[in-house]
Amino acid sequence: MKLWEGRFAAPTAADADAFNESLSFDKKLYKADITASLAHSEMLGRCGILSDEDRLAIQSGLKAILADIKAGTLEISGQEDIHSFVENELVSRIGDAGKRLHTARSRNDQVALDIRLTLRDYSKTLQAYIVELVRVLCKKAAENTAAVMPGYTHLQRAQPITFGHALMAYASMLLRDLQRFEDATARMDAQCPLGSGALAGTTYPLDRQFTAEKLGFAAPCANSLDGVSDRDFCIELANAISICMMHLSRLSEEIILWCSWEFKFIELDDAFTTGSSIMPQKKNPDVTELIRGKTGRVYGDLNTLLVMMKGLPLAYNKDMQEDKEAIFDAVDTLELCLKTITPMLDTMKTLPANMRRAAAKGFINATDCADYLTKKGMPFRDAYKLTGCMVSDCIAKDKTLEELTLDEFKGYSALFENDIYDAIDLVKCCEGRTSYGGPSEASVNNQIALANAQLDAWEEKNA
Ligand code: ARG
């Protein structure tokens, strides 16, 4: 049965029904829809809009429906959307009292509320997965604070860092993501749309404060038109998800490089790689490539939401039904990626000897050589230029800087002494970078401690 019976003489065409329906994807909202209806009916009762008898019948009917859905004994089907489904089911179970549930309410404020309640939970789940991933990054970083490798700019070897330092860069990005999720969720929870009605509120004496508080919101939406037509919270969540995907995609790209034969800094576990149907030697990092690929799809979801909203006049428009598939897809995709990348990183093997070998080539200690001369009194720009000449000569002679004899060094400048070898030793160059945030062991350990403290605080808050 349609909710809008009465006005229409003829039934909707089957194709139009199929086109309009959202039940196939909004059935996910069932728990939120029933929770919201429980709060709404309680409020109607308190405000004298619903008799105690009707309220009790509605509430036990709703609870029974929820239990049946959860138990798998009630299939969600046969209606246009989840709101129609729950209401129809209630009426078929309890009769007339069920028909009173929708008093002073519209599907417009109902759906705006249901998505908020559902996304609030999804956001928490995603945050928990991010916390797990950052924990693994911290653990792997702690194991690799001495694994010297080249740091890159322009994908050219630049200066010495450690593998632990590189991993903590990704931890930093993900900790910002965690904050972004918390921030977006806080705004989602700020104002409750229930009681906005179809668009213009209602003549019933509602207690919107009561339902807002009951459902975990700080206050009711201040404006009923905005209450039913706001989807900022979907866009903000999709934005947080997109940025997080971008971070996972960058990490994936590095993993793809690191496990190639050109780098071989890491070896992924067999459980997270795939072979080739023709090339017997292949071990492919498909998981990371898929994460990189799925990032585009999530950006598409964000774009869908932004474009969907940009031309809508107040208040509710059916265009907005398109919000759900986009945001659910973004949520599901990120969850899938986080669930897969975390154990993949946890089980990867690092190959510090290969990192160290790569660090030995590419003159990544050239800045340290210039700094050595600068610390002995040569102006930095002159030291920079002289070191550049030395590098150029070394390339011609197929040598590294540390392979030059002291006489050769002195041929470039009398400032060079025997201590130059220490100054350009890769491990010492790395260890010497004690500046806050840098790659020295103490600095990376501090980064790990700070990250773990932020994770502890999140866990405490969400225990
Ligand atoms: N299924 C609809 C949606 O997701 C629910 C709201 C329908 N409201 C309406 N007036 N047609 O947007």
Side-chain angles (χ1 to χ4, degrees):
M1 193 182 54
K2 291 260 162 49
L3 291 177
W4 57 78
E5 265 194 349
R7 163 76 173 77
F8 294 80
T12 331
D15 282 350
D17 266 344
F19 189 65
N20 277 329
E21 75 87 28
S22 55
L23 189 67
S24 53
F25 48 87
D26 71 13
K27 45 169 81 161
K28 286 187 170 196
L29 301 176
Y30 78 88
K31 198 167 132 243
D33 196 74
I34 293 173
T35 305
S37 287
L38 285 168
H40 179 64
S41 53
E42 190 177 343
M43 181 276 293
L44 291 179
R46 287 167 62 98
C47 296
I49 303 166
L50 207 58
S51 70
D52 275 353
E53 196 190 336
D54 285 343
R55 177 180 57 82
L56 289 170
I58 288 173
Q59 298 202 316
S60 57
L62 288 170
K63 283 179 192 159
I65 293 173
L66 182 60
D68 289 350
I69 295 174
K70 280 188 174 162
T73 51
L74 175 61
E75 194 202 335
I76 304 178
S77 66
Q79 294 292 334
E80 181 189 324
D81 58 26
I82 188 64
H83 326 294
S84 322
F85 173 81
V86 173
E87 191 176 328
N88 269 295
E89 182 62 26
L90 186 68
V91 173
S92 75
R93 290 186 184 207
I94 66 166
D96 278 356
K99 296 183 192 163
R100 296 208 161 87
L101 168 64
H102 209 55
T103 309
R105 190 177 71 171
S106 158
R107 279 188 298 162
N108 298 351
D109 55 350
Q110 207 178 344
V111 71
L113 171 59
D114 290 2
I115 317 172
R116 279 175 151 93
L117 294 177
T118 304
L119 292 183
R120 167 202 284 179
D121 283 353
Y122 290 175
S123 171
K124 270 285 158 58
T125 307
L126 292 175
Q127 289 173 46
Y129 280 119
I130 292 174
V131 167
E132 237 179 88
L133 171 55
V134 178
R135 288 272 190 221
V136 166
L137 285 170
C138 287
K139 183 183 120 189
K140 286 283 172 188
E143 291 165 11
N144 288 283
T145 50
V148 174
M149 67 176 250
Y152 298 80
T153 63
H154 314 270
L155 202 55
Q156 302 289 317
R157 291 173 192 172
Q159 290 179 343
I161 60 167
T162 64
F163 193 65
H165 190 219
L167 291 182
M168 288 314 291
Y170 286 99
S172 297
M173 298 178 208
L174 287 154
L175 287 171
R176 280 198 298 280
D177 289 326
L178 191 61
Q179 288 176 332
R180 238 183 305 274
F181 277 94
E182 289 187 294
D183 185 50
T185 313
R187 226 171 345 270
M188 200 184 300
D189 285 348
Q191 297 201 337
C192 178
L194 189 62
S196 298
L199 74 161
T202 172
T203 56
Y204 291 96
L206 302 185
D207 186 349
R208 293 196 59 200
Q209 197 68 48
F210 174 81
T211 38
E213 269 169 36
K214 178 102 196 161
L215 293 164
F217 293 87
C221 292
N223 179 292
S224 63
L225 295 166
D226 180 50
V228 291
S229 68
D230 164 35
R231 292 294 181 273
D232 291 2
F233 58 95
C234 291
I235 295 171
E236 284 196 60
L237 187 65
N239 172 63
I241 293 174
S242 295
I243 296 177
C244 186
M245 282 297 298
M246 178 264 287
H247 293 148
L248 296 187
S249 183
R250 290 183 65 186
L251 176 55
S252 294
E253 170 65 15
E254 297 252 39
I255 290 169
I256 291 164
L257 290 172
W258 289 337
C259 70
S260 71
W261 280 106
E262 282 69 18
F263 285 76
K264 264 293 169 251
F265 291 177
I266 58 166
E267 179 82 36
L268 294 178
D269 193 88
D270 286 0
F272 293 95
T273 46
T274 52
S276 154
S277 61
I278 175 172
M279 298 168 280
Q281 84 285 10
K282 290 300 285 291
K283 184 171 173 184
N284 296 327
D286 284 26
V287 162
T288 42
E289 291 164 50
L290 266 176
I291 292 174
R292 200 175 52 184
K294 284 178 190 291
T295 303
R297 156 195 188 134
V298 170
Y299 292 175
D301 293 328
L302 172 61
N303 202 43
T304 296
L305 293 166
L306 286 167
V307 178
M308 177 191 84
M309 291 304 291
K310 87 179 200 16
L312 296 188
L314 290 171
Y316 177 83
N317 297 271
K318 184 84 166 181
D319 313 43
M320 289 156 70
Q321 180 167 288
E322 292 283 310
D323 60 356
K324 284 170 277 301
E325 283 167 295
I327 190 64
F328 291 163
D329 181 69
V331 168
D332 291 347
T333 305
L334 178 58
E335 182 175 334
L336 205 59
C337 292
L338 287 166
K339 262 185 184 163
T340 318
I341 200 169
T342 301
M344 192 194 73
L345 287 172
D346 203 14
T347 53
M348 81 181 170
K349 224 171 56 205
T350 51
L351 302 168
N354 292 348
M355 297 177 191
R356 181 71 179 71
R357 211 168 299 129
K361 292 236 172 87
F363 302 97
I364 64 175
N365 50 5
T367 313
D368 301 88
C369 181
D371 283 345
Y372 171 91
L373 291 169
T374 307
K375 284 172 192 164
K376 298 232 165 172
M378 190 183 284
F380 176 75
R381 194 44 69 206
D382 294 339
Y384 168 94
K385 194 169 167 194
L386 180 64
T387 309
C389 294
M390 294 166 66
V391 166
S392 171
D393 292 347
C394 281
I395 291 170
K397 291 186 205 148
D398 195 21
K399 273 186 167 183
T400 64
L401 284 174
E402 49 275 54
E403 281 166 359
L404 294 175
T405 63
L406 189 55
D407 278 350
E408 285 173 310
F409 271 116
K410 284 193 176 293
Y412 289 105
S413 165
L415 292 173
F416 281 118
E417 307 281 351
N418 211 30
D419 56 354
I420 178 60
Y421 294 104
D422 255 5
I424 59 171
D425 174 81
L426 285 172
V427 173
K428 288 186 177 139
C429 288
C430 203
E431 265 316 292
R433 293 185 141 72
T434 52
S435 56
Y436 190 86
S440 75
E441 190 158 6
S443 165
V444 172
N445 279 331
N446 183 49
Q447 294 164 41
I448 296 170
L450 288 173
N452 276 319
Q454 193 179 325
L455 299 177
D456 290 346
W458 185 91
E459 275 170 357
E460 216 165 284
K461 229 187 320 174
N462 293 282

